[in-house]
Amino acid sequence: MKVLMINGSPHVKGNTYIALHEMEKIFETENIETEMLHIGHKDIRGCIGCMYCKTHNKCVFNDNVNEVSQKLEECDGIVVGTPVYFSSANATLIAFLTRLFYSTTFDKTMKVGASAVVARRGGISATYDEINKFFAISGMPIASSQY
């Protein structure tokens, strides 16, 4: 079993990493393989709705999205971590997830999705919902959380 972990923070070893790393330790105790990718500091543009992906099975922009799509297909679950900016996830992460989920046509219904949202104050619920919608729209089971 393998879980893909996406760090959407621009800070490599910031609070989002700490939250994801705590989850990673639990996965290791259960003998679940993990791979953590840090994309929050990458130059990732948003989707332009060109539909290239529908005929070529990959995004027209050849960047991290196309590299990660294969990893997403091979994994059993995905954890997406993000800081909260103005009651929303990091914009780079949202551009990444939009293109990743839109451009991949394989069945995701048996992959489990989970979110790790980090904030100083408010906006956690809205951001949690924002990330989980990628999973829900794809028909994925969502691992719940608690405070």
Side-chain angles (χ1 to χ4, degrees):
M1 184 171 279
K2 183 173 184 178
V3 173
L4 184 62
M5 304 182 84
I6 306 292
N7 182 350
S9 173
H11 305 286
V12 178
K13 298 284 185 174
N15 291 328
T16 303
Y17 168 80
I18 292 169
L20 290 173
H21 186 62
E22 288 300 312
M23 294 175 80
E24 190 176 39
K25 289 193 271 187
I26 300 298
F27 289 136
E28 286 175 9
T29 63
E30 299 296 324
N31 294 318
I32 298 172
E33 183 184 348
T34 60
E35 180 177 1
M36 191 176 308
L37 304 174
H38 182 231
I39 61 98
H41 66 298
K42 305 278 187 192
D43 187 18
I44 299 172
R45 64 173 298 148
C47 178
I48 60 170
C50 68
M51 303 299 219
Y52 178 89
C53 59
K54 298 308 171 198
T55 57
H56 293 84
N57 245 5
K58 66 178 186 174
C59 185
V60 68
F61 303 117
N62 195 20
D63 59 11
N64 294 79
V65 171
N66 289 333
E67 294 171 19
V68 175
S69 65
Q70 183 67 35
K71 294 174 188 275
L72 178 60
E73 186 171 13
E74 294 169 358
C75 76
D76 300 296
I78 182 171
V79 177
V80 177
T82 184
V84 175
Y85 297 152
F86 296 96
S87 293
S88 180
N90 178 349
T92 301
L93 176 67
I94 294 303
F96 173 83
L97 291 175
T98 300
R99 288 181 42 221
L100 179 67
F101 277 78
Y102 193 73
S103 67
T104 52
T105 58
F106 55 83
D107 183 20
K108 298 174 192 73
T109 58
M110 295 307 293
K111 296 180 187 302
V112 177
S115 304
V117 178
V118 178
R120 179 176 173 216
R121 293 189 194 142
I124 291 175
S125 296
T127 306
Y128 183 73
D129 181 58
E130 181 181 28
I131 299 299
N132 284 343
K133 282 183 179 156
F134 287 97
F135 309 142
I137 290 169
S138 299
M140 297 168 61
I142 300 171
S144 63
S145 72
Q146 60 188 23
Y147 279 109

